[in-house]
mmCIF file of all heavy atoms in Angstrom:
data_model
loop_
_atom_site.group_PDB
_atom_site.id
_atom_site.type_symbol
_atom_site.label_atom_id
_atom_site.label_comp_id
_atom_site.label_asym_id
_atom_site.label_seq_id
_atom_site.Cartn_x
_atom_site.Cartn_y
_atom_site.Cartn_z
ATOM 1 N N ARG A 1260 25.123 -35.596 41.431
ATOM 2 C CA ARG A 1260 24.493 -35.381 40.130
ATOM 3 C C ARG A 1260 25.427 -35.792 39.006
ATOM 4 O O ARG A 1260 25.005 -36.339 38.002
ATOM 5 C CB ARG A 1260 24.072 -33.921 39.960
ATOM 6 C CG ARG A 1260 22.850 -33.582 40.804
ATOM 7 C CD ARG A 1260 22.467 -32.178 40.582
ATOM 8 N NE ARG A 1260 23.291 -31.383 41.481
ATOM 9 C CZ ARG A 1260 23.334 -30.080 41.500
ATOM 10 N NH1 ARG A 1260 22.618 -29.378 40.670
ATOM 11 N NH2 ARG A 1260 24.085 -29.432 42.342
ATOM 12 N N LEU A 1261 26.736 -35.554 39.174
ATOM 13 C CA LEU A 1261 27.694 -35.926 38.138
ATOM 14 C C LEU A 1261 27.843 -37.433 38.056
ATOM 15 O O LEU A 1261 27.977 -37.984 36.964
ATOM 16 C CB LEU A 1261 29.052 -35.274 38.412
ATOM 17 C CG LEU A 1261 29.083 -33.756 38.273
ATOM 18 C CD1 LEU A 1261 30.443 -33.225 38.670
ATOM 19 C CD2 LEU A 1261 28.730 -33.333 36.878
ATOM 20 N N VAL A 1262 27.825 -38.133 39.188
ATOM 21 C CA VAL A 1262 27.912 -39.587 39.184
ATOM 22 C C VAL A 1262 26.709 -40.158 38.451
ATOM 23 O O VAL A 1262 26.817 -41.047 37.626
ATOM 24 C CB VAL A 1262 28.018 -40.143 40.621
ATOM 25 C CG1 VAL A 1262 27.869 -41.646 40.636
ATOM 26 C CG2 VAL A 1262 29.348 -39.739 41.231
ATOM 27 N N GLY A 1263 25.524 -39.617 38.718
ATOM 28 C CA GLY A 1263 24.320 -40.061 38.021
ATOM 29 C C GLY A 1263 24.408 -39.815 36.529
ATOM 30 O O GLY A 1263 23.939 -40.610 35.722
ATOM 31 N N LEU A 1264 25.018 -38.693 36.131
ATOM 32 C CA LEU A 1264 25.193 -38.387 34.717
ATOM 33 C C LEU A 1264 26.010 -39.471 34.042
ATOM 34 O O LEU A 1264 25.657 -39.942 32.963
ATOM 35 C CB LEU A 1264 25.888 -37.032 34.540
ATOM 36 C CG LEU A 1264 26.393 -36.718 33.129
ATOM 37 C CD1 LEU A 1264 25.222 -36.595 32.172
ATOM 38 C CD2 LEU A 1264 27.219 -35.467 33.135
ATOM 39 N N GLY A 1265 27.084 -39.887 34.682
ATOM 40 C CA GLY A 1265 27.927 -40.927 34.100
ATOM 41 C C GLY A 1265 27.146 -42.201 33.857
ATOM 42 O O GLY A 1265 27.264 -42.832 32.809
ATOM 43 N N ALA A 1266 26.322 -42.606 34.824
ATOM 44 C CA ALA A 1266 25.517 -43.817 34.664
ATOM 45 C C ALA A 1266 24.548 -43.678 33.500
ATOM 46 O O ALA A 1266 24.380 -44.603 32.710
ATOM 47 C CB ALA A 1266 24.763 -44.122 35.962
ATOM 48 N N LEU A 1267 23.905 -42.513 33.377
ATOM 49 C CA LEU A 1267 22.968 -42.304 32.278
ATOM 50 C C LEU A 1267 23.678 -42.327 30.935
ATOM 51 O O LEU A 1267 23.200 -42.913 29.974
ATOM 52 C CB LEU A 1267 22.242 -40.967 32.440
ATOM 53 C CG LEU A 1267 21.142 -40.921 33.477
ATOM 54 C CD1 LEU A 1267 20.651 -39.488 33.653
ATOM 55 C CD2 LEU A 1267 19.999 -41.827 33.092
ATOM 56 N N LEU A 1268 24.829 -41.683 30.861
ATOM 57 C CA LEU A 1268 25.544 -41.605 29.589
ATOM 58 C C LEU A 1268 26.106 -42.950 29.178
ATOM 59 O O LEU A 1268 26.096 -43.304 28.004
ATOM 60 C CB LEU A 1268 26.646 -40.554 29.666
ATOM 61 C CG LEU A 1268 26.131 -39.123 29.831
ATOM 62 C CD1 LEU A 1268 27.288 -38.173 30.056
ATOM 63 C CD2 LEU A 1268 25.306 -38.692 28.656
ATOM 64 N N ILE A 1269 26.575 -43.730 30.142
ATOM 65 C CA ILE A 1269 27.090 -45.060 29.824
ATOM 66 C C ILE A 1269 25.937 -45.955 29.397
ATOM 67 O O ILE A 1269 26.035 -46.702 28.435
ATOM 68 C CB ILE A 1269 27.859 -45.660 31.004
ATOM 69 C CG1 ILE A 1269 29.116 -44.836 31.275
ATOM 70 C CG2 ILE A 1269 28.212 -47.123 30.753
ATOM 71 C CD1 ILE A 1269 30.035 -44.656 30.091
ATOM 72 N N ALA A 1270 24.819 -45.868 30.087
ATOM 73 C CA ALA A 1270 23.653 -46.660 29.696
ATOM 74 C C ALA A 1270 23.253 -46.314 28.270
ATOM 75 O O ALA A 1270 22.857 -47.178 27.494
ATOM 76 C CB ALA A 1270 22.492 -46.416 30.651
ATOM 77 N N GLN A 1271 23.391 -45.048 27.912
ATOM 78 C CA GLN A 1271 23.027 -44.621 26.570
ATOM 79 C C GLN A 1271 23.973 -45.203 25.533
ATOM 80 O O GLN A 1271 23.592 -45.430 24.401
ATOM 81 C CB GLN A 1271 23.031 -43.106 26.487
ATOM 82 C CG GLN A 1271 22.641 -42.590 25.119
ATOM 83 C CD GLN A 1271 22.613 -41.100 25.070
ATOM 84 O OE1 GLN A 1271 22.564 -40.423 26.075
ATOM 85 N NE2 GLN A 1271 22.660 -40.568 23.878
ATOM 86 N N ALA A 1272 25.208 -45.467 25.902
ATOM 87 C CA ALA A 1272 26.187 -45.983 24.945
ATOM 88 C C ALA A 1272 25.892 -47.426 24.556
ATOM 89 O O ALA A 1272 26.412 -47.921 23.578
ATOM 90 C CB ALA A 1272 27.601 -45.887 25.524
ATOM 91 N N VAL A 1273 25.041 -48.109 25.317
ATOM 92 C CA VAL A 1273 24.663 -49.476 25.000
ATOM 93 C C VAL A 1273 23.370 -49.424 24.207
ATOM 94 O O VAL A 1273 22.345 -49.002 24.728
ATOM 95 C CB VAL A 1273 24.482 -50.302 26.291
ATOM 96 C CG1 VAL A 1273 24.060 -51.709 25.959
ATOM 97 C CG2 VAL A 1273 25.762 -50.286 27.105
ATOM 98 N N PRO A 1274 23.393 -49.816 22.927
ATOM 99 C CA PRO A 1274 22.193 -49.699 22.114
ATOM 100 C C PRO A 1274 21.030 -50.498 22.689
ATOM 101 O O PRO A 1274 21.200 -51.589 23.188
ATOM 102 C CB PRO A 1274 22.612 -50.266 20.750
ATOM 103 C CG PRO A 1274 24.098 -50.188 20.745
ATOM 104 C CD PRO A 1274 24.526 -50.329 22.180
ATOM 105 N N LEU A 1275 19.846 -49.929 22.599
ATOM 106 C CA LEU A 1275 18.615 -50.584 23.020
ATOM 107 C C LEU A 1275 17.669 -50.522 21.844
ATOM 108 O O LEU A 1275 17.285 -49.439 21.419
ATOM 109 C CB LEU A 1275 18.010 -49.861 24.232
ATOM 110 C CG LEU A 1275 16.648 -50.344 24.721
ATOM 111 C CD1 LEU A 1275 16.786 -51.758 25.288
ATOM 112 C CD2 LEU A 1275 16.109 -49.409 25.783
ATOM 113 N N ALA A 1276 17.320 -51.656 21.302
ATOM 114 C CA ALA A 1276 16.436 -51.675 20.143
ATOM 115 C C ALA A 1276 15.084 -51.103 20.528
ATOM 116 O O ALA A 1276 14.579 -51.354 21.615
ATOM 117 C CB ALA A 1276 16.278 -53.109 19.628
ATOM 118 N N ALA A 1277 14.498 -50.328 19.630
ATOM 119 C CA ALA A 1277 13.218 -49.690 19.921
ATOM 120 C C ALA A 1277 12.158 -50.714 20.301
ATOM 121 O O ALA A 1277 11.318 -50.456 21.141
ATOM 122 C CB ALA A 1277 12.758 -48.866 18.721
ATOM 123 N N GLN A 1278 12.199 -51.904 19.683
ATOM 124 C CA GLN A 1278 11.187 -52.883 20.003
ATOM 125 C C GLN A 1278 11.334 -53.427 21.416
ATOM 126 O O GLN A 1278 10.434 -54.094 21.914
ATOM 127 C CB GLN A 1278 11.152 -54.024 18.976
ATOM 128 C CG GLN A 1278 12.463 -54.719 18.761
ATOM 129 C CD GLN A 1278 13.258 -54.099 17.637
ATOM 130 O OE1 GLN A 1278 13.343 -52.885 17.503
ATOM 131 N NE2 GLN A 1278 13.872 -54.907 16.807
ATOM 132 N N GLN A 1279 12.434 -53.161 22.111
ATOM 133 C CA GLN A 1279 12.600 -53.606 23.485
ATOM 134 C C GLN A 1279 11.878 -52.688 24.465
ATOM 135 O O GLN A 1279 11.714 -53.055 25.611
ATOM 136 C CB GLN A 1279 14.087 -53.670 23.854
ATOM 137 C CG GLN A 1279 14.814 -54.775 23.131
ATOM 138 C CD GLN A 1279 16.279 -54.766 23.476
ATOM 139 O OE1 GLN A 1279 16.907 -53.711 23.532
ATOM 140 N NE2 GLN A 1279 16.841 -55.933 23.715
ATOM 141 N N ILE A 1280 11.482 -51.512 24.034
ATOM 142 C CA ILE A 1280 10.749 -50.608 24.909
ATOM 143 C C ILE A 1280 9.283 -51.030 24.869
ATOM 144 O O ILE A 1280 8.663 -50.992 23.805
ATOM 145 C CB ILE A 1280 10.891 -49.142 24.450
ATOM 146 C CG1 ILE A 1280 12.362 -48.730 24.464
ATOM 147 C CG2 ILE A 1280 10.058 -48.219 25.343
ATOM 148 C CD1 ILE A 1280 12.616 -47.367 23.859
ATOM 149 N N PRO A 1281 8.734 -51.479 26.003
ATOM 150 C CA PRO A 1281 7.332 -51.896 26.001
ATOM 151 C C PRO A 1281 6.435 -50.744 25.557
ATOM 152 O O PRO A 1281 6.654 -49.586 25.916
ATOM 153 C CB PRO A 1281 7.057 -52.267 27.459
ATOM 154 C CG PRO A 1281 8.409 -52.513 28.049
ATOM 155 C CD PRO A 1281 9.369 -51.633 27.294
ATOM 156 N N ALA A 1282 5.419 -51.074 24.786
ATOM 157 C CA ALA A 1282 4.509 -50.058 24.254
ATOM 158 C C ALA A 1282 3.919 -49.211 25.362
ATOM 159 O O ALA A 1282 3.713 -48.007 25.194
ATOM 160 C CB ALA A 1282 3.404 -50.726 23.436
ATOM 161 N N ALA A 1283 3.669 -49.808 26.523
ATOM 162 C CA ALA A 1283 3.077 -49.065 27.639
ATOM 163 C C ALA A 1283 4.009 -47.971 28.155
ATOM 164 O O ALA A 1283 3.564 -47.010 28.776
ATOM 165 C CB ALA A 1283 2.715 -50.018 28.771
ATOM 166 N N GLU A 1284 5.325 -48.114 27.902
ATOM 167 C CA GLU A 1284 6.294 -47.128 28.387
ATOM 168 C C GLU A 1284 6.585 -46.036 27.373
ATOM 169 O O GLU A 1284 7.248 -45.054 27.697
ATOM 170 C CB GLU A 1284 7.589 -47.823 28.791
ATOM 171 C CG GLU A 1284 7.427 -48.740 29.989
ATOM 172 C CD GLU A 1284 8.721 -49.435 30.351
ATOM 173 O OE1 GLU A 1284 9.805 -48.904 30.027
ATOM 174 O OE2 GLU A 1284 8.642 -50.512 30.954
ATOM 175 N N LEU A 1285 6.127 -46.199 26.143
ATOM 176 C CA LEU A 1285 6.342 -45.166 25.131
ATOM 177 C C LEU A 1285 5.406 -44.003 25.405
ATOM 178 O O LEU A 1285 4.277 -44.194 25.858
ATOM 179 C CB LEU A 1285 6.099 -45.725 23.730
ATOM 180 C CG LEU A 1285 7.137 -46.730 23.241
ATOM 181 C CD1 LEU A 1285 6.692 -47.345 21.928
ATOM 182 C CD2 LEU A 1285 8.489 -46.086 23.095
ATOM 183 N N PRO A 1286 5.859 -42.764 25.138
ATOM 184 C CA PRO A 1286 4.992 -41.612 25.385
ATOM 185 C C PRO A 1286 3.801 -41.593 24.441
ATOM 186 O O PRO A 1286 3.864 -42.130 23.336
ATOM 187 C CB PRO A 1286 5.907 -40.416 25.141
ATOM 188 C CG PRO A 1286 6.998 -40.932 24.277
ATOM 189 C CD PRO A 1286 7.154 -42.397 24.597
ATOM 190 N N ALA A 1287 2.718 -41.001 24.911
ATOM 191 C CA ALA A 1287 1.529 -40.848 24.075
ATOM 192 C C ALA A 1287 1.862 -39.929 22.910
ATOM 193 O O ALA A 1287 2.760 -39.092 22.997
ATOM 194 C CB ALA A 1287 0.387 -40.280 24.901
ATOM 195 N N SER A 1288 1.141 -40.077 21.830
ATOM 196 C CA SER A 1288 1.356 -39.238 20.660
ATOM 197 C C SER A 1288 1.271 -37.767 21.041
ATOM 198 O O SER A 1288 0.388 -37.357 21.788
ATOM 199 C CB SER A 1288 0.306 -39.562 19.596
ATOM 200 O OG SER A 1288 0.497 -38.735 18.478
ATOM 201 N N GLY A 1289 2.207 -36.978 20.551
ATOM 202 C CA GLY A 1289 2.206 -35.545 20.814
ATOM 203 C C GLY A 1289 2.932 -35.161 22.088
ATOM 204 O O GLY A 1289 3.012 -33.988 22.413
ATOM 205 N N THR A 1290 3.465 -36.122 22.842
ATOM 206 C CA THR A 1290 4.195 -35.781 24.056
ATOM 207 C C THR A 1290 5.686 -35.855 23.788
ATOM 208 O O THR A 1290 6.121 -36.174 22.693
ATOM 209 C CB THR A 1290 3.811 -36.718 25.223
ATOM 210 O OG1 THR A 1290 4.178 -38.053 24.870
ATOM 211 C CG2 THR A 1290 2.337 -36.638 25.541
ATOM 212 N N ASP A 1291 6.481 -35.593 24.810
ATOM 213 C CA ASP A 1291 7.936 -35.522 24.683
ATOM 214 C C ASP A 1291 8.531 -36.867 24.270
ATOM 215 O O ASP A 1291 8.424 -37.844 24.991
ATOM 216 C CB ASP A 1291 8.519 -35.059 26.010
ATOM 217 C CG ASP A 1291 9.984 -34.708 25.916
ATOM 218 O OD1 ASP A 1291 10.609 -35.001 24.880
ATOM 219 O OD2 ASP A 1291 10.501 -34.133 26.872
ATOM 220 N N THR A 1292 9.161 -36.905 23.119
ATOM 221 C CA THR A 1292 9.816 -38.121 22.632
ATOM 222 C C THR A 1292 11.324 -37.953 22.574
ATOM 223 O O THR A 1292 12.029 -38.847 22.144
ATOM 224 C CB THR A 1292 9.333 -38.475 21.214
ATOM 225 O OG1 THR A 1292 9.744 -37.426 20.327
ATOM 226 C CG2 THR A 1292 7.847 -38.684 21.160
ATOM 227 N N GLY A 1293 11.802 -36.803 22.990
ATOM 228 C CA GLY A 1293 13.228 -36.528 22.906
ATOM 229 C C GLY A 1293 13.604 -35.755 21.665
ATOM 230 O O GLY A 1293 14.581 -35.030 21.664
ATOM 231 N N LEU A 1294 12.858 -35.911 20.581
ATOM 232 C CA LEU A 1294 13.130 -35.122 19.386
ATOM 233 C C LEU A 1294 12.436 -33.777 19.466
ATOM 234 O O LEU A 1294 12.822 -32.831 18.796
ATOM 235 C CB LEU A 1294 12.689 -35.870 18.128
ATOM 236 C CG LEU A 1294 13.488 -37.125 17.802
ATOM 237 C CD1 LEU A 1294 12.988 -37.753 16.513
ATOM 238 C CD2 LEU A 1294 14.982 -36.831 17.714
ATOM 239 N N GLU A 1295 11.405 -33.696 20.265
ATOM 240 C CA GLU A 1295 10.698 -32.442 20.498
ATOM 241 C C GLU A 1295 10.421 -32.342 21.980
ATOM 242 O O GLU A 1295 10.297 -33.344 22.668
ATOM 243 C CB GLU A 1295 9.382 -32.417 19.710
ATOM 244 C CG GLU A 1295 9.588 -32.456 18.219
ATOM 245 C CD GLU A 1295 8.285 -32.527 17.448
ATOM 246 O OE1 GLU A 1295 7.223 -32.690 18.071
ATOM 247 O OE2 GLU A 1295 8.346 -32.407 16.225
ATOM 248 N N GLY A 1296 10.317 -31.142 22.463
ATOM 249 C CA GLY A 1296 10.033 -30.946 23.872
ATOM 250 C C GLY A 1296 10.829 -29.783 24.414
ATOM 251 O O GLY A 1296 11.628 -29.168 23.714
ATOM 252 N N LYS A 1297 10.630 -29.522 25.680
ATOM 253 C CA LYS A 1297 11.300 -28.407 26.345
ATOM 254 C C LYS A 1297 12.702 -28.828 26.792
ATOM 255 O O LYS A 1297 12.890 -29.932 27.283
ATOM 256 C CB LYS A 1297 10.463 -27.973 27.550
ATOM 257 C CG LYS A 1297 11.006 -26.771 28.260
ATOM 258 C CD LYS A 1297 10.129 -26.371 29.437
ATOM 259 C CE LYS A 1297 10.781 -25.199 30.165
ATOM 260 N NZ LYS A 1297 10.132 -24.930 31.431
ATOM 261 N N TYR A 1298 13.658 -27.939 26.607
ATOM 262 C CA TYR A 1298 15.027 -28.196 27.057
ATOM 263 C C TYR A 1298 15.087 -28.087 28.572
ATOM 264 O O TYR A 1298 14.558 -27.144 29.161
ATOM 265 C CB TYR A 1298 15.996 -27.187 26.416
ATOM 266 C CG TYR A 1298 17.433 -27.402 26.823
ATOM 267 C CD1 TYR A 1298 18.187 -28.411 26.236
ATOM 268 C CD2 TYR A 1298 18.031 -26.619 27.796
ATOM 269 C CE1 TYR A 1298 19.497 -28.630 26.602
ATOM 270 C CE2 TYR A 1298 19.349 -26.821 28.166
ATOM 271 C CZ TYR A 1298 20.077 -27.836 27.567
ATOM 272 O OH TYR A 1298 21.386 -28.049 27.940
ATOM 273 N N ASP A 1299 15.738 -29.044 29.209
ATOM 274 C CA ASP A 1299 15.918 -29.044 30.661
ATOM 275 C C ASP A 1299 17.319 -28.531 30.973
ATOM 276 O O ASP A 1299 18.303 -29.245 30.790
ATOM 277 C CB ASP A 1299 15.729 -30.455 31.216
ATOM 278 C CG ASP A 1299 16.008 -30.559 32.700
ATOM 279 O OD1 ASP A 1299 16.141 -29.515 33.372
ATOM 280 O OD2 ASP A 1299 16.091 -31.700 33.187
ATOM 281 N N ALA A 1300 17.412 -27.295 31.455
ATOM 282 C CA ALA A 1300 18.715 -26.686 31.752
ATOM 283 C C ALA A 1300 19.400 -27.345 32.947
ATOM 284 O O ALA A 1300 20.555 -27.038 33.237
ATOM 285 C CB ALA A 1300 18.546 -25.191 32.007
#
C-alpha cells in the first residue's frame, strides 16, 4: 500500500491540464470531484 502511495503522489506532482481529462472520465455533476465528498480513512 505504501509503494502504491508513492506512485500516486509522484503522479500527482506532474501537472495534468484539466483539458487533458476526457469529458467522459469527469464525474457527473453533484458527484465526488475531490473538493467535496466523503473522506477515505
Side-chain angles (χ1 to χ4, degrees):
R1260 287 181 275 174
L1261 292 176
V1262 170
L1264 168 65
L1267 284 172
L1268 294 174
I1269 295 305
Q1271 181 178 342
V1273 179
L1275 175 67
Q1278 55 268 42
Q1279 291 178 317
I1280 300 172
E1284 294 179 25
L1285 290 173
S1288 179
T1290 62
D1291 191 350
T1292 64
L1294 293 182
E1295 296 176 352
K1297 184 179 177 191
Y1298 181 79
D1299 175 12

